[in-house]
Amino acid sequence: MPLSLRPHLLIVFLNCTLAASVAARAQSPALPPPVTFTAEQDQQNMMDQLGIKALRPGPSGNEKAPNHANYDESQANPYPNVPDPLTMNGGEKVTTAKMWWDERRPELVEMLSKHVYGRVPRSVPGVTWRVTAVDHEMIGFTPVIAKDLIGEVDNSRYPAIRVRIHMTLVTPAHGKGPAPVLMMFGRAAFPAPNEPSGDELERINAAWKAVLEAQDPSLKDVMAQHPAWQPVKATPFQFPQMNEDGDLPNTWQLAAAGWGFALLDPASVQADDGAGLTRGIIGLANQGQPRKPEDWGALRAWAWGAGRGLDYLETDPAVDAKHVGIEGVSRYGKAALVTMAFDQRFAVVLVGSSGKGGATLLRRNFGEAVESLTGGEYYWMAGNFMQYGASEATFGSKNGGDIPVDSNELIALCAPRLTFISYGIPEKGDAKWLDHQGSFMATVDASRVYALLGAKGLGVEGDLRTAKMPPVNQGLLDGQLAWRQHDGGHTDAPNMKWFLEWADKFIGHGAPR
Ligand code: GCU
């Protein structure tokens, strides 16, 4: 008898061990919690991985400081050769569109990923979007539909980090079809929350008064003496904050022109901080561990977030997904350009005051330096980029002239799509630090790639070294690659009306009547 029991016991035993191992896998006890580093510790960790002992300090933005940045144009071009977007790494000239698409462009994508902005990990988890609320609003005089959205990133492989991308999408309520949409890096929120009607306010006020009286019965008297008084009132009409040129805010202009817009919160994707690199989407993809040298930095992560936002927009019938743009100013101007360069589904970009790491040549020595991007701003970039700020390392030292790519090639990756490079003026606060001239040089040079692909660039005579910026407020807006320096400060708002006119012309979109 005992013998006949044996197979049964074996099955019970097997079942138990199987159940135990399934439970163990579900709890993933082996995964440690996210590493907690300060930005300094994180930067040091990357320096150790790269064999860097010391970094050259970045210059000061304060012109009175002894170590201030260079603002002498005669010293601004220390490296004689800027990499050529139309010469293969092996030296062969790129002469056809096919050669650009099949050979040169992939080379540039690879170098910009490996050395400058980092790679998006293959294993980056998927995102599931859901609409959390829909509001019917007015942007100026235009009725719109505003949707608040959350993109939940799958964290089943590492539940200790949760990433929820926050985006608000605003589209015309009475559009004649799907609308072009400008995605903008910034706070996501309902832009003009619809308020309760008069009847609804009455009910709210009745409830409020009851609550107040319940809290303090002596208030009954006060209420009785002021029976018409209402604690909650409709917000009176407010004039919007005009931009420096006296024009309406960007969102008002977009709505009036029949565009939609999407506000994408970059901080909901990745913190703007080196200490955050073991969290956010970069941390989630690395299961809470510090980056490796080729991993993405915050700029590429924000750009990835924008791409996931576009994934949603492609599913929304109110959106003309073939005409979605991306916009940002300053660090988000860099992120907007990076988004456009790497994700070819974006049709148009407005790059505001992006400076180094954006449109400005990395090889220029004017204002913000490569050493600024390898110093306090290191986390925007790939870990590898830090090598170019190293003064002492196992590989010796490197500088901006050693970077195998430059911003003319980043802009070229956007070709032949609509790319508007925007700046303001130093007198109004768009600091010299940003190096307007260096951005212009890169844009002029990228024009050659637009021409190769049958599009039009800036249409400026001469090469990048002799290129002179046009006067302020005089745009170069005839081509798919465009430039305009407005007479305002560190913002792209004074360029919005020029941007819309230019973009509408190329995409064949007219303002609603
Ligand atoms: C600093 C930084 C720039 C950046 C800017 C900003 O000036 O050096 O790279 O663009 O901040 O984003 O506000």
Side-chain angles (χ1 to χ4, degrees), residues 218-430:
S218 75
L219 285 176
K220 269 208 176 86
D221 257 13
V222 180
M223 302 293 175
Q225 281 174 49
H226 307 279
W229 177 76
Q230 303 293 3
V232 181
K233 299 176 187 68
T235 313
F237 177 79
Q238 279 177 319
F239 280 100
Q241 185 77 45
M242 301 298 196
N243 73 38
E244 286 169 280
D245 280 2
D247 293 322
L248 291 165
N250 280 356
T251 51
W252 285 50
Q253 290 193 46
L254 284 157
W259 280 62
F261 56 89
L263 309 167
L264 186 99
D265 180 5
S268 69
V269 179
Q270 186 61 42
D272 185 13
D273 174 4
L277 287 174
T278 53
R279 291 179 172 73
I281 189 62
I282 297 178
L284 176 58
N286 281 336
Q287 307 208 328
Q289 296 306 299
R291 292 188 303 168
K292 297 278 178 288
E294 290 188 11
D295 283 348
W296 44 350
L299 292 173
R300 190 96 199 248
W302 293 332
W304 172 87
R308 302 295 64 77
L310 179 50
D311 294 345
Y312 169 77
L313 298 183
E314 285 178 335
T315 68
D316 191 315
V319 176
D320 172 4
K322 291 272 173 284
H323 294 125
V324 172
I326 181 75
E327 181 271 357
V329 174
S330 214
R331 65 201 62 190
Y332 304 124
K334 305 181 211 291
L337 182 53
V338 171
T339 304
M340 182 75 169
F342 287 102
D343 190 336
Q344 295 193 65
R345 295 173 303 158
F346 283 91
V348 48
V349 65
L350 174 55
V351 182
S353 301
S354 59
K356 270 276 191 309
T360 293
L361 288 171
L362 293 164
R363 277 169 176 67
R364 287 267 295 179
N365 171 30
F366 193 98
E368 186 171 16
V370 162
E371 287 77 9
S372 315
L373 290 172
T374 62
E377 300 164 356
Y378 81 96
Y379 62 91
W380 289 343
M381 317 297 286
N384 256 347
F385 189 76
M386 222 190 288
Q387 295 178 59
Y388 305 108
S391 55
E392 208 190 320
T394 49
F395 52 83
S397 75
K398 283 186 183 175
N399 58 38
D402 296 312
I403 307 170
V405 272
D406 216 316
S407 66
N408 52 335
E409 299 177 310
L410 178 70
I411 299 170
L413 290 189
C414 306
R417 290 166 295 143
L418 296 172
T419 299
F420 188 126
I421 310 289
S422 162
Y423 278 97
I425 55 173
E427 295 77 1
K428 291 281 182 62
D430 204 38

